[in-house]
Amino acid sequence: MRPANTCWHCFQMLASRALVRGLQSGFWRRVSTSSAAWAAHTHDVDVIDCSVPQYNNRLDTPLPDVPFVRNLSAEQKKLKEKEKGSWTQLTKEEKLALYRLTHELSYAEMRQGSKEWMTVLGGVFIFLGFTGLLVWWQRVYVYGDVPHTLSQESVAQQTQRMIDMRVNPVHGFSNKWDYEKKQWK
Amino acid sequence: MSLPKPAMRGLLAKRLRFHLPIAFGLSIIAAVAFKFTVTEPRKQAYADFYKHYDSMKEFSAMREAGVFESVRPTGK
């Protein structure tokens, strides 16, 4: 979208002149594209001039810095002239047209929301699942053996020692062991 | 169309007047509930445990089991 208030022809001339100078420098002669193709490429680049006020759709600024439509057509200009008179003369369609000239989205449209969250959540789960597969492969093929203290026999010995030591006798571990009958309660 | 003028001042005060008593009330209720469902039973459990606690008997049992390093089991 070319910006309305720059001299496009001047820009194109400068661009081609710079390109010719670049070509004459010799090094990039074979690599550089033709000036027409290069100009066509810059045509697609969307440069926003951040040094001037911009339009924005925000819930907390009902009146943005600039109106949405800057370049009015002839009949839009006529409508703007009519707006300078009494507003009771305007029809409903004209009022809506004036609103759409100054605003891109209405408050309802701004608040609308989308179904993007489903895509996001789906993507997150897909990648979590894939990561799970990688972690599983890692567990099988990379990790070494587990310490011997996690074997059944070792755990039984540790549990017996904890019971002998009376670990947490009031509320916790040893509380659940019946010392007379030598079994869990 | 003449709409009534909306409230311009005292908005925070109005909100606090409503929510603060509720906040304090709920906090106090939470604290009291915790006291009577957790701390009081816990204190009672400890009191009951130590009412008939024979420390020498427990010590001997632990010694025989062999968990101490300062005293060995009797015998052998």
Side-chain angles (χ1 to χ4, degrees), chain A residues 49-140:
Chain A
D49 186 1
C50 291
S51 60
V52 298
Q54 295 173 36
Y55 178 77
N56 60 282
N57 285 312
R58 289 182 57 113
L59 292 172
D60 54 5
T61 43
L63 297 172
D65 300 330
V66 293
F68 180 55
V69 178
R70 301 295 302 282
N71 317 319
L72 300 170
S73 68
E75 62 179 68
Q76 285 170 337
K77 284 193 183 131
K78 264 200 292 196
L79 190 57
K80 277 294 192 187
E81 287 300 316
K82 192 173 175 191
E83 193 193 12
K84 290 179 185 171
S86 171
W87 288 344
T88 52
Q89 306 291 323
L90 296 167
T91 66
K92 189 171 165 213
E93 290 79 20
E94 286 172 340
K95 286 181 194 167
L96 281 174
L98 282 168
Y99 181 83
R100 291 289 171 185
L101 282 181
T102 49
H103 298 82
E104 182 192 8
L105 300 174
S106 68
Y107 266 81
E109 284 163 5
M110 273 193 266
R111 289 200 185 103
Q112 215 171 359
S114 64
K115 296 211 172 104
E116 192 190 2
W117 66 271
M118 295 186 202
T119 313
V120 170
L121 213 58
V124 166
F125 287 145
I126 285 171
F127 280 107
L128 278 178
F130 180 66
T131 308
L133 287 174
L134 291 180
V135 170
W136 185 12
W137 178 87
Q138 187 184 33
R139 171 67 186 84
V140 171

Side-chain angles (χ1 to χ4, degrees), chain A residues 161 164-166 169-171 179-180, chain B residues 42 45-46 49 58 61-62 65 67:
Chain A
R161 190 174 158 80
D164 292 337
M165 281 199 279
R166 313 295 195 268
V170 182
H171 274 305
Y179 281 95
E180 274 88 50
Chain B
R42 193 178 281 170
Y46 273 81
F49 179 80
E58 296 291 325
M62 281 195 256
V67 293

